[in-house]
Amino acid sequence: MLSDTEVQRILIIVAHPDDVDFGAAGTIARWTDAGIEVVYCIVTDGDAGGHDDSVPRAEIAPLRRKEQTAAAACVGVTDLRFLGYPDGRVEATLGLRKDLARVIRQVRPDRVVCPSPERNYARMGVSHPDHRAVGSAALDAIYPDARIPFAFPELRAEEGLEPWTVREVWLPGGPAPNHYVDVTDTFHRKVAALRAHESQTGHMDKLEEFLRGWLARAAAQGGLPEGRLAEAFQVLDSG
Ligand SMILES: [Zn+2]
């Protein structure tokens, strides 16, 4: 596994606004504190999210972009790329792979964080079809699309984007977690980031308790001392 001191840039690819904050915000705060540049690529605007019929659907996408931008600021991230795919209808198409390969070649990250393409039978929510589609397209975009010069040759010929090798992939909620990041000291920023998604979390009175319980279980699973909180990842060598 790469040491954080070997990492200059990290790209986070997610399906919806708020996915990154549930899965990895505490870890991201640690990375930006260490001077690592972190960029978010958010595939949909989460325009099918929320439960409030009184809010016109057309207002949801701009609202959720605004909330995600505020959430990113809580953990030191200011570079966000929204791809604007329709929420709830994402498929791992060649078009999505090309869009993700473009962002990878533009950002040139050492490490990518993306969803697992596999269904988790124990937790339905984490296996939302958009998450699985984005995970599958992201891994294909890392290899072969971003790496091979003649995959999507127009990226190079028309946009001047040279091939790029991502060295490591982190899957939050991956099927076989093998790395646990202690986020006890950045937990309050994760909570603030999730609170910034007001349209999604405004009704969750017990959000902090829920997160504390979830991250404490991850810490215990990872063998961290009692009282610590952790985010769990499956880390893959992709170099
Ligand atoms: Zn999601």
Side-chain angles (χ1 to χ4, degrees):
M1 191 177 324
L2 293 176
S3 147
D4 285 351
T5 57
E6 298 173 80
V7 173
Q8 290 183 351
R9 285 177 306 279
I10 299 175
L11 175 64
I12 316 290
I13 298 173
V14 289
H16 310 115
D18 82 17
D19 289 351
V20 58
D21 297 302
F22 275 108
T27 301
I28 290 165
R30 290 188 48 155
W31 288 338
T32 59
D33 284 352
I36 299 171
E37 190 184 327
V38 177
V39 177
Y40 289 176
C41 174
I42 296 147
V43 173
T44 80
D45 291 328
D47 44 296
H51 308 276
D52 188 351
D53 274 339
S54 68
V55 181
R57 298 315 297 178
E59 288 176 16
I60 301 284
L63 173 67
R64 296 207 65 189
R65 287 190 183 206
K66 204 169 132 220
E67 289 176 343
Q68 181 63 81
T69 304
C74 297
V75 293
V77 177
T78 55
D79 187 343
L80 294 84
R81 324 259 172 121
F82 294 95
L83 299 187
Y85 279 64
D87 184 6
R89 283 178 280 158
V90 181
E91 292 179 303
T93 58
L94 284 171
L96 178 56
R97 282 171 49 181
K98 180 177 164 182
D99 286 341
L100 294 175
R102 175 185 294 111
V103 177
I104 292 167
R105 290 190 188 196
Q106 287 169 337
V107 174
R108 302 166 78 80
D110 305 294
R111 178 182 288 157
V112 167
V113 178
C114 67
S116 168
E118 289 181 54
R119 181 180 290 281
N120 179 333
Y121 289 98
R123 284 174 53 214
M124 288 299 278
V126 79
S127 299
H128 187 292
D130 288 353
H131 297 183
R132 286 183 282 127
V134 168
S136 176
L139 292 175
D140 290 345
I142 290 164
Y143 179 84
D145 304 332
R147 187 179 312 186
I148 305 291
F150 297 102
F152 300 117
E154 62 275 25
L155 287 177
R156 202 160 165 236
E158 293 164 20
E159 301 181 41
L161 294 170
E162 294 298 330
W164 180 255
T165 298
V166 174
R167 296 162 69 197
E168 197 172 80
V169 180
W170 289 35
L171 308 174
N178 57 5
H179 186 57
Y180 297 83
V181 177
D182 188 329
V183 296
T184 317
D185 298 339
T186 55
F187 178 70
H188 62 289
R189 289 162 71 190
K190 181 184 178 85
V191 174
L194 281 160
R195 283 289 177 212
H197 296 281
E198 215 188 322
S199 66
Q200 308 304 300
T201 59
H203 64 287
M204 294 184 190
D205 300 333
K206 300 216 160 106
L207 177 67
E208 188 167 336
E209 275 170 81
F210 160 74
L211 292 169
R212 207 173 267 287
W214 179 28
L215 302 189
R217 283 193 295 282
Q221 202 178 22
L224 274 67
E226 179 87 33
R228 306 306 287 181
L229 303 171
E231 288 173 341
F233 299 88
Q234 181 167 352
V235 178
L236 321 174
D237 179 351
S238 59

